[in-house]
Amino acid sequence: MSFRYRVATVFGGSGFIGRHLIKRLAKTGTVIRVATRHPSNANFLRMNGAVGQIIPIATNINDDTSVAAAVRDADIVINLIGILYESGVNTFKATQGDAPGRIARAAKAAGAQRFVQVSAIGADANSASAYARTKAAGEQAVRDAFPEATILRPSIVFGPEDSFFNRFAAMARISPALPLIGGGHTKFQPVYVGDVADAVMKALELPEARDRTYELGGPRVYTFKELMELVLAETRRKRFLVPVSWPLAELQGKILGKLPKPMLTVDQVELLKSDNVVAPGAATIQDLGIDPTAAEVIIPTYLDRFRVGGRFSQRAGGYTA
């Protein structure tokens, strides 16, 4: 890849998408600052580049001065930060609504040439979900501050470290049943994390990606029920699939949402009421020149560890309890 940028600041670079993106970005020779609350947690990323090429720096995304310092002299700025539930000061409004605009304003003031905001399919200012509303607010704040920014909206992102397939595979290991929230009819278009990282790289490279929004989905649309069946097939387990009504799911969300790391919240239930697929007429991952990877190709490479006896078990060929 021909790449002319010298310095990049990546917010959320130590997260799920970030670790895959950093590997690709480092290969271009770009000096990378990983802006994070806890730099020590991002030290593992240094191995992806030459000595001194990848630099974790302490950054408070709620502070203008801290953000400005992180993007000083940066040629490109990428924001990957997002949360699935609120915890303490990490609210949807602060993290997904306010921070993107603060980062974009600082990037523009610093003279950055490109800005990429990773949002989510379903971002909607009128949504009943706070997650979706603040994703939309963050997008608008970025557009206002950095009009030529590229916005990427992935569906559920899957890969070895994902929090979706791994969560349900772990649940299937100990539970006799998996829940089908709302009956399991909600549609998803899972996209491989490597393809999302490639999409960010393409957004930086292609002139036509400026001032555009792309919705990133995989090659196939699944219902929630079909995704649970896929989990069970890959882990070689037989489990009941139990429909859970919306009112019951909301009640469960209220209870589980009080846990430090909730498996389900009321806001997530609200999100599940809408399909999470690429909208008709939207610019897609294919428009960035990427042929998306099927979930069936990647998921077996990491869900096999949830089979009885693990991935090297001689019993892996058949279904088990």
Side-chain angles (χ1 to χ4, degrees), residues 255-308:
I255 297 171
L256 295 174
K258 298 182 183 299
L259 298 174
K261 293 184 178 181
M263 293 190 65
L264 185 69
T265 68
V266 173
D267 197 76
Q268 289 168 358
V269 173
E270 197 62 46
L271 276 175
L272 286 169
K273 293 180 181 179
S274 300
D275 291 339
N276 195 270
V277 299
V278 173
T284 69
I285 195 167
Q286 288 90 342
D287 291 311
L288 288 168
I290 298 169
D291 186 18
T293 308
E296 289 84 355
V297 173
I298 302 296
I299 289 176
T301 66
Y302 63 96
L303 286 194
D304 57 358
R305 66 191 178 92
F306 291 99
R307 298 172 184 167
V308 174

Short mmCIF file of all heavy atoms in Angstrom, two decimals, residues 255-308:
data_model
loop_
_atom_site.label_atom_id
_atom_site.label_comp_id
_atom_site.label_asym_id
_atom_site.label_seq_id
_atom_site.Cartn_x
_atom_site.Cartn_y
_atom_site.Cartn_z
N ILE A 255 -32.36 -6.16 35.67
CA ILE A 255 -31.67 -6.87 36.75
C ILE A 255 -30.18 -7.04 36.42
O ILE A 255 -29.31 -6.67 37.21
CB ILE A 255 -32.33 -8.25 36.98
CG1 ILE A 255 -33.78 -8.08 37.44
CG2 ILE A 255 -31.53 -9.05 38.01
CD1 ILE A 255 -34.57 -9.37 37.48
N LEU A 256 -29.90 -7.58 35.24
CA LEU A 256 -28.51 -7.83 34.86
C LEU A 256 -27.73 -6.54 34.65
O LEU A 256 -26.51 -6.51 34.81
CB LEU A 256 -28.47 -8.67 33.59
CG LEU A 256 -29.04 -10.09 33.70
CD1 LEU A 256 -29.08 -10.76 32.34
CD2 LEU A 256 -28.22 -10.93 34.68
N GLY A 257 -28.45 -5.48 34.28
CA GLY A 257 -27.79 -4.20 34.04
C GLY A 257 -27.16 -3.59 35.27
O GLY A 257 -26.35 -2.66 35.16
N LYS A 258 -27.49 -4.10 36.44
CA LYS A 258 -26.91 -3.58 37.68
C LYS A 258 -25.56 -4.21 38.01
O LYS A 258 -24.86 -3.77 38.92
CB LYS A 258 -27.88 -3.81 38.84
CG LYS A 258 -29.22 -3.09 38.68
CD LYS A 258 -30.13 -3.33 39.87
CE LYS A 258 -31.49 -2.67 39.67
NZ LYS A 258 -31.38 -1.20 39.52
N LEU A 259 -25.18 -5.25 37.25
CA LEU A 259 -23.91 -5.92 37.49
C LEU A 259 -22.75 -5.06 36.96
O LEU A 259 -22.94 -4.24 36.05
CB LEU A 259 -23.89 -7.28 36.80
CG LEU A 259 -24.93 -8.29 37.29
CD1 LEU A 259 -24.88 -9.55 36.42
CD2 LEU A 259 -24.69 -8.64 38.75
N PRO A 260 -21.55 -5.23 37.51
CA PRO A 260 -20.39 -4.44 37.03
C PRO A 260 -20.12 -4.63 35.54
O PRO A 260 -19.78 -3.69 34.84
CB PRO A 260 -19.24 -4.99 37.88
CG PRO A 260 -19.89 -5.52 39.11
CD PRO A 260 -21.21 -6.07 38.66
N LYS A 261 -20.25 -5.88 35.05
CA LYS A 261 -20.09 -6.16 33.62
C LYS A 261 -21.34 -6.91 33.15
O LYS A 261 -21.34 -8.14 33.03
CB LYS A 261 -18.84 -6.99 33.36
CG LYS A 261 -17.55 -6.24 33.65
CD LYS A 261 -16.33 -7.09 33.28
CE LYS A 261 -15.04 -6.31 33.52
NZ LYS A 261 -13.84 -7.10 33.14
N PRO A 262 -22.40 -6.18 32.89
CA PRO A 262 -23.69 -6.81 32.60
C PRO A 262 -23.70 -7.59 31.29
O PRO A 262 -23.12 -7.15 30.28
CB PRO A 262 -24.66 -5.64 32.54
CG PRO A 262 -23.81 -4.47 32.18
CD PRO A 262 -22.50 -4.71 32.86
N MET A 263 -24.33 -8.76 31.30
CA MET A 263 -24.50 -9.54 30.07
C MET A 263 -25.62 -8.97 29.21
O MET A 263 -25.68 -9.23 28.01
CB MET A 263 -24.79 -11.00 30.41
CG MET A 263 -23.64 -11.73 31.06
SD MET A 263 -23.93 -13.50 31.17
CE MET A 263 -23.97 -13.97 29.44
N LEU A 264 -26.52 -8.20 29.85
CA LEU A 264 -27.65 -7.64 29.12
C LEU A 264 -28.14 -6.39 29.86
O LEU A 264 -28.17 -6.37 31.08
CB LEU A 264 -28.79 -8.66 29.02
CG LEU A 264 -30.01 -8.26 28.19
CD1 LEU A 264 -29.64 -8.17 26.70
CD2 LEU A 264 -31.16 -9.24 28.39
N THR A 265 -28.47 -5.35 29.10
CA THR A 265 -29.03 -4.13 29.68
C THR A 265 -30.33 -3.80 28.96
O THR A 265 -30.61 -4.31 27.87
CB THR A 265 -28.07 -2.94 29.54
OG1 THR A 265 -27.96 -2.59 28.15
CG2 THR A 265 -26.69 -3.28 30.11
N VAL A 266 -31.11 -2.92 29.55
CA VAL A 266 -32.35 -2.49 28.92
C VAL A 266 -32.06 -1.80 27.58
O VAL A 266 -32.79 -1.99 26.60
CB VAL A 266 -33.12 -1.53 29.85
CG1 VAL A 266 -34.35 -0.95 29.13
CG2 VAL A 266 -33.57 -2.26 31.11
N ASP A 267 -30.98 -1.03 27.53
CA ASP A 267 -30.64 -0.34 26.30
C ASP A 267 -30.28 -1.33 25.20
O ASP A 267 -30.62 -1.14 24.04
CB ASP A 267 -29.47 0.62 26.55
CG ASP A 267 -29.34 1.65 25.45
OD1 ASP A 267 -30.16 2.60 25.44
OD2 ASP A 267 -28.46 1.51 24.59
N GLN A 268 -29.60 -2.41 25.55
CA GLN A 268 -29.25 -3.43 24.56
C GLN A 268 -30.49 -4.14 24.05
O GLN A 268 -30.57 -4.50 22.87
CB GLN A 268 -28.26 -4.42 25.17
CG GLN A 268 -26.87 -3.82 25.38
CD GLN A 268 -25.97 -4.69 26.23
OE1 GLN A 268 -26.37 -5.75 26.72
NE2 GLN A 268 -24.74 -4.24 26.43
N VAL A 269 -31.46 -4.36 24.92
CA VAL A 269 -32.73 -4.95 24.49
C VAL A 269 -33.39 -4.05 23.47
O VAL A 269 -33.93 -4.51 22.45
CB VAL A 269 -33.66 -5.20 25.69
CG1 VAL A 269 -35.03 -5.66 25.22
CG2 VAL A 269 -33.06 -6.24 26.63
N GLU A 270 -33.35 -2.75 23.72
CA GLU A 270 -33.94 -1.78 22.79
C GLU A 270 -33.25 -1.85 21.44
O GLU A 270 -33.90 -1.81 20.39
CB GLU A 270 -33.83 -0.37 23.37
CG GLU A 270 -34.75 0.65 22.72
CD GLU A 270 -36.22 0.31 22.89
OE1 GLU A 270 -36.64 -0.02 24.02
OE2 GLU A 270 -36.94 0.34 21.86
N LEU A 271 -31.93 -1.99 21.45
CA LEU A 271 -31.18 -2.11 20.20
C LEU A 271 -31.60 -3.34 19.41
O LEU A 271 -31.68 -3.32 18.18
CB LEU A 271 -29.68 -2.20 20.50
CG LEU A 271 -28.90 -0.90 20.70
CD1 LEU A 271 -27.48 -1.22 21.10
CD2 LEU A 271 -28.92 -0.05 19.43
N LEU A 272 -31.86 -4.44 20.14
CA LEU A 272 -32.20 -5.70 19.48
C LEU A 272 -33.56 -5.67 18.80
O LEU A 272 -33.90 -6.58 18.04
CB LEU A 272 -32.16 -6.84 20.51
CG LEU A 272 -30.76 -7.29 20.94
CD1 LEU A 272 -30.85 -8.23 22.13
CD2 LEU A 272 -30.03 -7.96 19.78
N LYS A 273 -34.33 -4.63 19.05
CA LYS A 273 -35.64 -4.52 18.41
C LYS A 273 -35.55 -4.06 16.96
O LYS A 273 -36.53 -4.09 16.22
CB LYS A 273 -36.53 -3.56 19.21
CG LYS A 273 -36.92 -4.08 20.59
CD LYS A 273 -37.79 -3.09 21.34
CE LYS A 273 -38.14 -3.61 22.73
NZ LYS A 273 -38.98 -2.64 23.49
N SER A 274 -34.36 -3.62 16.55
CA SER A 274 -34.15 -3.16 15.18
C SER A 274 -33.10 -4.03 14.49
O SER A 274 -32.11 -4.41 15.11
CB SER A 274 -33.69 -1.70 15.17
OG SER A 274 -34.65 -0.86 15.77
N ASP A 275 -33.31 -4.32 13.20
CA ASP A 275 -32.33 -5.09 12.44
C ASP A 275 -31.01 -4.32 12.34
O ASP A 275 -31.00 -3.08 12.26
CB ASP A 275 -32.85 -5.38 11.04
CG ASP A 275 -34.01 -6.36 11.05
OD1 ASP A 275 -34.17 -7.10 12.05
OD2 ASP A 275 -34.78 -6.37 10.06
N ASN A 276 -29.90 -5.05 12.34
CA ASN A 276 -28.56 -4.46 12.30
C ASN A 276 -27.89 -4.87 10.99
O ASN A 276 -26.95 -5.66 10.99
CB ASN A 276 -27.76 -4.92 13.52
CG ASN A 276 -26.52 -4.09 13.76
OD1 ASN A 276 -25.46 -4.41 13.25
ND2 ASN A 276 -26.66 -3.04 14.54
N VAL A 277 -28.42 -4.35 9.89
CA VAL A 277 -27.93 -4.71 8.56
C VAL A 277 -27.69 -3.45 7.75
O VAL A 277 -28.19 -2.37 8.06
CB VAL A 277 -28.92 -5.63 7.83
CG1 VAL A 277 -29.13 -6.93 8.60
CG2 VAL A 277 -30.26 -4.92 7.61
N VAL A 278 -26.91 -3.60 6.69
CA VAL A 278 -26.61 -2.48 5.80
C VAL A 278 -27.90 -1.96 5.16
O VAL A 278 -28.70 -2.73 4.64
CB VAL A 278 -25.61 -2.91 4.72
CG1 VAL A 278 -25.41 -1.81 3.68
CG2 VAL A 278 -24.28 -3.30 5.35
N ALA A 279 -28.08 -0.65 5.21
CA ALA A 279 -29.30 -0.03 4.67
C ALA A 279 -29.28 -0.04 3.15
O ALA A 279 -28.22 0.11 2.53
CB ALA A 279 -29.42 1.40 5.19
N PRO A 280 -30.44 -0.19 2.52
CA PRO A 280 -30.50 -0.13 1.05
C PRO A 280 -29.97 1.21 0.55
O PRO A 280 -30.30 2.27 1.06
CB PRO A 280 -32.01 -0.26 0.76
CG PRO A 280 -32.57 -0.95 1.97
CD PRO A 280 -31.75 -0.45 3.13
N GLY A 281 -29.10 1.15 -0.47
CA GLY A 281 -28.56 2.37 -1.04
C GLY A 281 -27.34 2.94 -0.35
O GLY A 281 -26.73 3.89 -0.84
N ALA A 282 -26.95 2.36 0.80
CA ALA A 282 -25.78 2.86 1.52
C ALA A 282 -24.50 2.46 0.82
O ALA A 282 -24.44 1.42 0.15
CB ALA A 282 -25.78 2.31 2.95
N ALA A 283 -23.46 3.29 0.95
CA ALA A 283 -22.13 2.89 0.49
C ALA A 283 -21.66 1.76 1.39
O ALA A 283 -21.88 1.79 2.61
CB ALA A 283 -21.18 4.07 0.56
N THR A 284 -21.02 0.75 0.83
CA THR A 284 -20.70 -0.47 1.57
C THR A 284 -19.21 -0.75 1.59
O THR A 284 -18.41 -0.04 0.99
CB THR A 284 -21.42 -1.67 0.94
OG1 THR A 284 -20.82 -1.94 -0.34
CG2 THR A 284 -22.90 -1.40 0.78
N ILE A 285 -18.86 -1.84 2.26
CA ILE A 285 -17.46 -2.26 2.33
C ILE A 285 -16.94 -2.63 0.95
O ILE A 285 -15.75 -2.45 0.65
CB ILE A 285 -17.32 -3.43 3.33
CG1 ILE A 285 -15.85 -3.65 3.70
CG2 ILE A 285 -17.95 -4.72 2.79
CD1 ILE A 285 -15.67 -4.58 4.90
N GLN A 286 -17.82 -3.11 0.08
CA GLN A 286 -17.41 -3.43 -1.29
C GLN A 286 -17.02 -2.17 -2.05
O GLN A 286 -16.15 -2.21 -2.93
CB GLN A 286 -18.53 -4.17 -2.02
CG GLN A 286 -18.74 -5.60 -1.56
CD GLN A 286 -19.75 -5.73 -0.43
OE1 GLN A 286 -20.05 -4.74 0.25
NE2 GLN A 286 -20.27 -6.93 -0.23
N ASP A 287 -17.64 -1.03 -1.71
CA ASP A 287 -17.30 0.23 -2.36
C ASP A 287 -15.91 0.70 -1.97
O ASP A 287 -15.33 1.58 -2.63
CB ASP A 287 -18.33 1.31 -2.01
CG ASP A 287 -19.68 1.03 -2.63
OD1 ASP A 287 -19.72 0.77 -3.84
OD2 ASP A 287 -20.70 1.08 -1.91
N LEU A 288 -15.36 0.13 -0.91
CA LEU A 288 -13.99 0.41 -0.51
C LEU A 288 -13.01 -0.60 -1.12
O LEU A 288 -11.83 -0.61 -0.81
CB LEU A 288 -13.87 0.38 1.02
CG LEU A 288 -14.51 1.56 1.75
CD1 LEU A 288 -14.59 1.28 3.26
CD2 LEU A 288 -13.74 2.86 1.50
N GLY A 289 -13.54 -1.49 -1.97
CA GLY A 289 -12.69 -2.46 -2.65
C GLY A 289 -12.38 -3.69 -1.82
O GLY A 289 -11.40 -4.39 -2.09
N ILE A 290 -13.24 -3.99 -0.83
CA ILE A 290 -12.99 -5.13 0.06
C ILE A 290 -14.08 -6.18 -0.15
O ILE A 290 -15.27 -5.87 -0.11
CB ILE A 290 -12.98 -4.67 1.53
CG1 ILE A 290 -11.85 -3.66 1.76
CG2 ILE A 290 -12.84 -5.87 2.48
CD1 ILE A 290 -11.92 -2.96 3.10
N ASP A 291 -13.68 -7.41 -0.37
CA ASP A 291 -14.60 -8.54 -0.47
C ASP A 291 -14.75 -9.12 0.94
O ASP A 291 -13.81 -9.74 1.45
CB ASP A 291 -14.04 -9.58 -1.43
CG ASP A 291 -15.01 -10.72 -1.69
OD1 ASP A 291 -16.21 -10.54 -1.42
OD2 ASP A 291 -14.57 -11.78 -2.14
N PRO A 292 -15.90 -8.93 1.59
CA PRO A 292 -16.02 -9.32 3.00
C PRO A 292 -15.91 -10.82 3.23
O PRO A 292 -16.29 -11.63 2.38
CB PRO A 292 -17.41 -8.81 3.39
CG PRO A 292 -18.16 -8.71 2.10
CD PRO A 292 -17.14 -8.35 1.07
N THR A 293 -15.37 -11.18 4.37
CA THR A 293 -15.11 -12.57 4.74
C THR A 293 -16.32 -13.17 5.44
O THR A 293 -16.90 -12.55 6.34
CB THR A 293 -13.90 -12.64 5.69
OG1 THR A 293 -12.81 -11.95 5.09
CG2 THR A 293 -13.50 -14.08 5.96
N ALA A 294 -16.68 -14.38 5.06
CA ALA A 294 -17.83 -15.06 5.67
C ALA A 294 -17.53 -15.48 7.10
O ALA A 294 -16.41 -15.89 7.41
CB ALA A 294 -18.22 -16.28 4.84
N ALA A 295 -18.53 -15.39 7.95
CA ALA A 295 -18.36 -15.78 9.35
C ALA A 295 -17.96 -17.25 9.47
O ALA A 295 -17.16 -17.62 10.33
CB ALA A 295 -19.66 -15.52 10.12
N GLU A 296 -18.51 -18.10 8.59
CA GLU A 296 -18.22 -19.53 8.65
C GLU A 296 -16.75 -19.85 8.39
O GLU A 296 -16.29 -20.93 8.75
CB GLU A 296 -19.09 -20.28 7.64
CG GLU A 296 -20.56 -20.36 8.00
CD GLU A 296 -21.34 -19.12 7.59
OE1 GLU A 296 -20.74 -18.14 7.11
OE2 GLU A 296 -22.57 -19.14 7.76
N VAL A 297 -16.03 -18.93 7.78
CA VAL A 297 -14.61 -19.14 7.50
C VAL A 297 -13.76 -18.87 8.74
O VAL A 297 -12.79 -19.59 9.02
CB VAL A 297 -14.14 -18.23 6.34
CG1 VAL A 297 -12.63 -18.31 6.16
CG2 VAL A 297 -14.86 -18.61 5.05
N ILE A 298 -14.12 -17.85 9.51
CA ILE A 298 -13.31 -17.39 10.63
C ILE A 298 -13.71 -17.98 11.97
O ILE A 298 -12.85 -18.38 12.78
CB ILE A 298 -13.35 -15.85 10.72
CG1 ILE A 298 -12.86 -15.22 9.42
CG2 ILE A 298 -12.54 -15.36 11.92
CD1 ILE A 298 -11.41 -15.50 9.10
N ILE A 299 -15.00 -18.06 12.21
CA ILE A 299 -15.48 -18.48 13.54
C ILE A 299 -14.94 -19.84 13.98
O ILE A 299 -14.58 -20.01 15.16
CB ILE A 299 -17.03 -18.45 13.57
CG1 ILE A 299 -17.50 -16.99 13.56
CG2 ILE A 299 -17.57 -19.16 14.81
CD1 ILE A 299 -19.00 -16.84 13.49
N PRO A 300 -14.82 -20.83 13.10
CA PRO A 300 -14.27 -22.13 13.56
C PRO A 300 -12.85 -22.02 14.09
O PRO A 300 -12.43 -22.87 14.88
CB PRO A 300 -14.32 -22.99 12.28
CG PRO A 300 -15.39 -22.39 11.45
CD PRO A 300 -15.29 -20.91 11.70
N THR A 301 -12.10 -21.01 13.69
CA THR A 301 -10.71 -20.89 14.11
C THR A 301 -10.56 -20.46 15.57
O THR A 301 -9.47 -20.56 16.12
CB THR A 301 -9.94 -19.89 13.23
OG1 THR A 301 -10.46 -18.56 13.43
CG2 THR A 301 -10.06 -20.25 11.76
N TYR A 302 -11.66 -19.97 16.18
CA TYR A 302 -11.54 -19.59 17.59
C TYR A 302 -12.64 -20.13 18.49
O TYR A 302 -12.45 -20.21 19.71
CB TYR A 302 -11.41 -18.07 17.74
CG TYR A 302 -12.59 -17.23 17.29
CD1 TYR A 302 -13.56 -16.81 18.19
CD2 TYR A 302 -12.71 -16.81 15.97
CE1 TYR A 302 -14.62 -16.00 17.79
CE2 TYR A 302 -13.76 -16.01 15.56
CZ TYR A 302 -14.72 -15.61 16.47
OH TYR A 302 -15.76 -14.81 16.07
N LEU A 303 -13.76 -20.55 17.94
CA LEU A 303 -14.80 -21.12 18.80
C LEU A 303 -14.54 -22.59 19.11
O LEU A 303 -15.17 -23.14 20.02
CB LEU A 303 -16.18 -20.98 18.15
CG LEU A 303 -16.81 -19.58 18.14
CD1 LEU A 303 -18.29 -19.69 17.79
CD2 LEU A 303 -16.64 -18.86 19.47
N ASP A 304 -13.61 -23.22 18.40
CA ASP A 304 -13.35 -24.64 18.67
C ASP A 304 -12.80 -24.85 20.08
O ASP A 304 -12.89 -25.96 20.62
CB ASP A 304 -12.42 -25.24 17.62
CG ASP A 304 -11.09 -24.51 17.50
OD1 ASP A 304 -10.89 -23.50 18.20
OD2 ASP A 304 -10.25 -24.95 16.69
N ARG A 305 -12.27 -23.82 20.70
CA ARG A 305 -11.76 -23.97 22.07
C ARG A 305 -12.88 -24.18 23.09
O ARG A 305 -12.64 -24.58 24.23
CB ARG A 305 -10.92 -22.76 22.47
CG ARG A 305 -11.68 -21.45 22.58
CD ARG A 305 -10.72 -20.27 22.71
NE ARG A 305 -11.40 -18.99 22.78
CZ ARG A 305 -11.75 -18.40 23.91
NH1 ARG A 305 -11.47 -18.97 25.07
NH2 ARG A 305 -12.36 -17.23 23.89
N PHE A 306 -14.13 -23.92 22.68
CA PHE A 306 -15.27 -24.10 23.57
C PHE A 306 -15.87 -25.51 23.46
O PHE A 306 -16.83 -25.83 24.15
CB PHE A 306 -16.36 -23.07 23.27
CG PHE A 306 -15.96 -21.67 23.66
CD1 PHE A 306 -15.50 -20.78 22.70
CD2 PHE A 306 -16.05 -21.24 24.98
CE1 PHE A 306 -15.14 -19.48 23.04
CE2 PHE A 306 -15.69 -19.96 25.33
CZ PHE A 306 -15.23 -19.07 24.37
N ARG A 307 -15.31 -26.35 22.59
CA ARG A 307 -15.79 -27.72 22.49
C ARG A 307 -15.33 -28.52 23.70
O ARG A 307 -14.33 -28.18 24.34
CB ARG A 307 -15.27 -28.37 21.21
CG ARG A 307 -15.73 -27.69 19.94
CD ARG A 307 -15.02 -28.26 18.74
NE ARG A 307 -15.39 -27.52 17.51
CZ ARG A 307 -14.76 -27.63 16.36
NH1 ARG A 307 -13.73 -28.47 16.24
NH2 ARG A 307 -15.16 -26.93 15.32
N VAL A 308 -16.02 -29.59 24.00
CA VAL A 308 -15.60 -30.47 25.10
C VAL A 308 -14.21 -31.01 24.78
O VAL A 308 -13.98 -31.57 23.71
CB VAL A 308 -16.59 -31.63 25.28
CG1 VAL A 308 -16.06 -32.61 26.32
CG2 VAL A 308 -17.95 -31.12 25.69
#
